[in-house]
Amino acid sequence: MIIDLPSTTTAQVNSKLVEVRETGGAVALGRVLTLVIVTDDSAKTEDAIQAANEASREHPCRVIVLARGARKAAARLDAQIRVGGDAGASDVIVLRLYGPLADQAASCVVPLLLPDAPVVAWWPSEAPDVPSEDSIGQLATRRITDSAAEKNPIKALEQRRKSYVDGDTDLAWTRLTNWRAQLASALDLPPYEKVTAATVVGEADSPSSELLAGWFASRLNVPVSRAKATSGEGIVQVTLQRRSGAVDLLRPDAKTGTLTQPGQPDRRIALQRRSVRDCLAEELRRLDPDEIYEAALKAVPKVTKGRVATSSSKPAAKPAPAKASAESKAKAAAETKAKAEAPAAEAKPKRAAAKKATAKAES
């Protein structure tokens, strides 16, 4: 059910919510948190609402969407209440703010917050430079951004590093969960050797590649390089060097990865790129600071930027050294020449002996 309230106030929205609760029973009860989505009023707004609806089936919550409209318009608040099948396991309140109200989002949110429930703020596209100092960020226990959705993802990730405070997180980090799990489990198999170096190959503007390299630098304390891929999406390949050989995880098609390591058969692994819904649901499972994300984020500057890497369907075999190849060719040529000269060398003493015997007979 969708209820439109054009040119309204937050008091009228609250009154309507109470009315819906009384007529619909427990439709507005049992919420564990308030999720505030901050975005501009555009076609992408519905995508964010859909992702929140799907995530709310795991985390029942009240979703407040702040869709900021034209700043030059007259001050106006258009509201929409969605419950039932149009709101997943939550009640959704969409607030479209125009004119001066677009910059007064917090004053519109406070009257609609659930009492005694934590607040999570989510910026599905562009986020403020310092989320913790934003008016909505100050209300939130947890602040979720997505540097991959920014115009310049790598620059946005660097800004996240500079402005980090407890409670900040990024969906670019959440997308690494499967990669981290597969690589950690690979190191639990024999041979149990230390990693001596790590390489992450990914798109030039992939913040997840940067964070994965930072995670290796923070946890393994080994040299880590970050190379740019010429093909593929997101993270393309990860190589962990060990004394007996490399652990290599290659995903050229953004769907399926191939794990290769010494002493083990190659394994095919499902590594499809995660949806926003899955990442959001995972982030809503915890409201405490993510220390591992913080360490990985702060270790990004320790990563060495490598050369452009070309990915393939299988890990490339190491080419034979050029010097060894030249020596092999020279040795083969020498052996061929020796074989050709051998009959002539054997015939020479025989000819000399025959000549000597002929001379003796004539004398």
Side-chain angles (χ1 to χ4, degrees):
M1 180 173 61
I2 299 178
I3 303 170
D4 290 315
L5 299 172
S7 299
T8 186
T9 64
T10 54
Q12 292 174 339
V13 174
N14 250 328
S15 298
K16 196 63 178 180
L17 283 171
V18 174
E19 180 183 337
V20 170
R21 183 185 306 151
E22 292 176 349
T23 58
V27 69
L29 301 178
R31 308 308 185 221
V32 298
L33 57 87
T34 302
L35 175 63
V36 181
I37 303 175
V38 186
T39 183
D40 290 330
D41 191 11
S42 66
K44 295 182 179 180
T45 302
E46 288 299 325
D47 295 337
I49 295 175
Q50 183 62 30
N53 285 347
E54 293 176 359
S56 71
R57 302 184 189 280
E58 184 177 338
H59 311 280
C61 59
R62 168 170 290 177
V63 178
I64 302 176
V65 183
L66 295 174
R68 297 168 298 192
R71 267 63 168 185
K72 295 182 179 180
R76 190 175 83 253
L77 169 61
D78 291 344
Q80 189 179 77
I81 300 175
R82 305 182 186 184
V83 294
D86 295 297
S90 63
D91 49 356
V92 178
I93 306 170
V94 182
L95 303 178
R96 290 184 167 85
L97 310 175
Y98 301 94
L101 278 179
D103 297 322
Q104 301 296 325
S107 62
C108 298
V109 167
V110 172
L112 302 174
L113 297 177
L114 291 174
D116 302 322
V119 178
V120 177
W122 175 35
W123 290 267
S125 53
E126 294 187 13
D129 290 341
V130 186
S132 61
E133 295 181 1
D134 182 78
S135 59
I136 298 297
Q138 291 175 348
L139 299 173
T141 305
R142 188 87 162 156
R143 294 165 293 275
I144 304 173
T145 58
D146 190 354
S147 55
E150 302 262 3
K151 294 179 180 178
N152 189 329
I154 303 302
K155 183 178 180 181
L157 184 67
E158 177 62 18
Q159 182 59 39
R160 297 287 87 80
R161 186 183 68 83
K162 293 178 180 178
S163 64
Y164 177 85
V165 298
D166 289 348
D168 289 355
T169 191
D170 198 301
L171 294 187
W173 168 252
T174 321
R175 295 186 182 98
L176 294 176
T177 299
N178 293 339
W179 281 87
R180 293 165 57 209
Q182 294 296 341
L183 291 167
S185 63
L187 295 179
D188 286 338
L189 298 174
Y192 306 106
E193 299 174 335
K194 292 183 63 177
V195 175
T196 58
T199 302
V200 178
V201 181
E203 284 185 291
D205 60 349
S206 170
S208 294
S209 299
E210 300 283 331
L211 285 171
L212 184 58
W215 180 57
F216 289 138
S218 66
R219 308 307 295 177
L220 300 177
N221 195 28
V222 298
V224 180
S225 61
R226 158 79 162 94
K228 299 177 183 178
T230 56
S231 62
E233 300 177 12
I235 304 172
V236 176
Q237 186 174 11
V238 175
T239 304
L240 302 178
Q241 297 291 347
R242 296 193 296 185
R243 185 177 60 181
S244 62
V247 176
D248 190 275
L249 182 54
L250 176 67
R251 187 191 66 172
D253 59 358
K255 293 181 180 179
T256 306
T258 301
L259 180 64
T260 304
Q261 58 187 126
Q264 300 288 336
D266 291 357
R267 288 187 289 161
R268 299 274 287 175
I269 300 171
L271 272 179
Q272 188 167 3
R273 302 190 76 182
R274 302 185 71 192
S275 65
V276 174
R277 177 261 175 217
D278 290 338
C279 295
L280 181 62
E282 180 179 330
E283 286 298 341
L284 293 179
R285 291 174 196 151
R286 59 180 303 171
L287 298 174
D288 58 318
D290 191 341
E291 296 88 354
I292 307 301
Y293 163 67
E294 178 186 3
L297 187 64
K298 292 184 177 180
V300 169
K302 299 179 181 179
V303 177
T304 302
K305 302 298 180 181
R307 297 179 180 178
V308 175
T310 302
S311 62
S312 60
S313 58
K314 293 183 179 180
K318 293 183 178 179
K323 183 178 179 181
S325 177
E327 290 177 353
S328 299
K329 291 181 179 179
K331 185 177 180 181
E335 291 177 354
T336 302
K337 183 178 179 181
K339 290 179 180 179
E341 293 176 351
E346 292 176 359
K348 187 174 181 181
K350 292 181 180 180
R351 289 196 299 269
K355 185 177 180 181
K356 186 176 180 181
T358 302
K360 185 175 181 182
E362 290 177 350
S363 62

